[in-house]
Amino acid sequence: MNRAAAWAAAAGAAAAFSVWRRRSGRRAHADLYFDDGSMVSLAAGDAEADRMLAIAEDLVAAARGASAARSAGR
Amino acid sequence: MNAGQALADLAAVSSQIDGAVLVRENGTLLASTFSDDGRSQAVAAHARELLQAARRSSAATGRAELSQVLAATPAGAVFLVRDGERAVAAVTGSEPTVGLVFYDLKTCLRLTDPDTSAAREERETAGAGTSERARERHEREADDE
């Protein structure tokens, strides 16, 4: 019984970790890299990041041929 | 190597890249992987806009010169690499191999820079087997990932 409970707990933890990693990997962000090798990562919600992400979304839409309707409103 | 050939090679070796444009910082389109001119111009315009926004943002940090940008959205990611007056922008899916894409874009810029030894070497070999070598190199790098 104890062994089954331990296995269930381990499997649950692994599944939760997998979901967390997948979600954190997909979170919108903007990374800026500099000539000196340094980098700044701005998460969605930051005003500067949101501006860049909005442009990036328009660029992706344009590249895929979708109508970038939001462009007209910006 | 001319810009169009470099972008064609880039698209051939990097399966993660959906499309790319090579532009000047003023937004002038130099080459594109998109067959549709309107789409190429639209992507180039957005790339210029993104570069300007990134430069404004980086200026506030007081750091060195901006060299690369990654904007990752749920719909896809935009990579931008600049070198002097030129920049290459590429669109990928939402979970790209970041280091590999940046490597490919930097190589593309280097090959199209008339002042670099890499570009001179490419011209000297006159493109014979160039695409094949680039593909083999890319496959080796992908295996190392």
Side-chain angles (χ1 to χ4, degrees):
Chain A
M1 181 65 183
N2 283 344
R3 181 173 293 184
W7 275 110
F17 180 70
S18 173
V19 169
W20 173 79
R21 276 202 64 175
R22 184 164 297 188
R23 285 186 177 171
S24 61
R26 284 180 182 167
R27 193 176 302 149
H29 63 277
D31 295 343
L32 307 179
Y33 298 78
F34 300 90
D35 274 348
D36 61 3
S38 63
M39 186 268 269
V40 174
S41 186
L42 305 170
D46 176 281
E48 299 285 344
D50 287 347
R51 189 172 304 125
M52 287 185 272
L53 292 171
I55 298 168
E57 285 176 359
D58 283 348
L59 195 156
V60 170
R64 296 192 174 144
S67 60
R70 202 174 43 72
S71 291
R74 195 171 61 225
Chain B
M1 180 182 290
N2 70 53
Q5 182 61 49
L7 275 191
D9 276 1
L10 172 70
V13 301
S14 183
S15 59
Q16 298 184 70
I17 293 176
D18 297 337
V21 293
L22 182 66
V23 296
R24 289 198 191 282
E25 284 212 24
N26 64 8
T28 305
L29 179 66
L30 297 174
S32 169
T33 63
F34 301 103
S35 54
D36 179 342
D37 187 54
R39 188 180 301 185
S40 299
Q41 295 291 351
V43 171
H46 289 309
R48 174 176 179 254
E49 200 180 348
L50 178 60
L51 182 58
Q52 287 177 337
R55 292 188 81 163
R56 275 197 300 273
S57 182
S58 64
T61 67
R63 292 180 185 246
E65 191 74 14
L66 181 73
S67 58
Q68 300 175 175
V69 179
L70 163 62
T73 78
V78 176
F79 289 77
L80 206 155
V81 177
R82 60 180 292 269
D83 178 23
E85 283 291 304
R86 302 172 312 135
V88 60
V91 176
T92 72
S94 57
E95 293 187 22
T97 309
V98 174
L100 199 54
V101 175
F102 272 136
Y103 177 86
D104 285 338
L105 296 183
K106 281 188 278 189
T107 301
C108 177
L109 267 183
R110 196 171 60 244
L111 289 176
T112 56
D113 183 348
D115 296 331
T116 64
S117 58
R120 281 195 297 272
E121 186 181 325
E122 285 293 332
R123 281 198 300 274
E124 285 164 8
T125 55
T130 301
S131 298
E132 191 57 36
R133 284 200 307 279
R135 187 173 294 109
E136 287 170 3
R137 188 185 69 237
H138 194 272
E139 284 169 359
R140 280 200 304 276
E141 287 159 5
D143 288 343
D144 292 342
E145 281 280 315

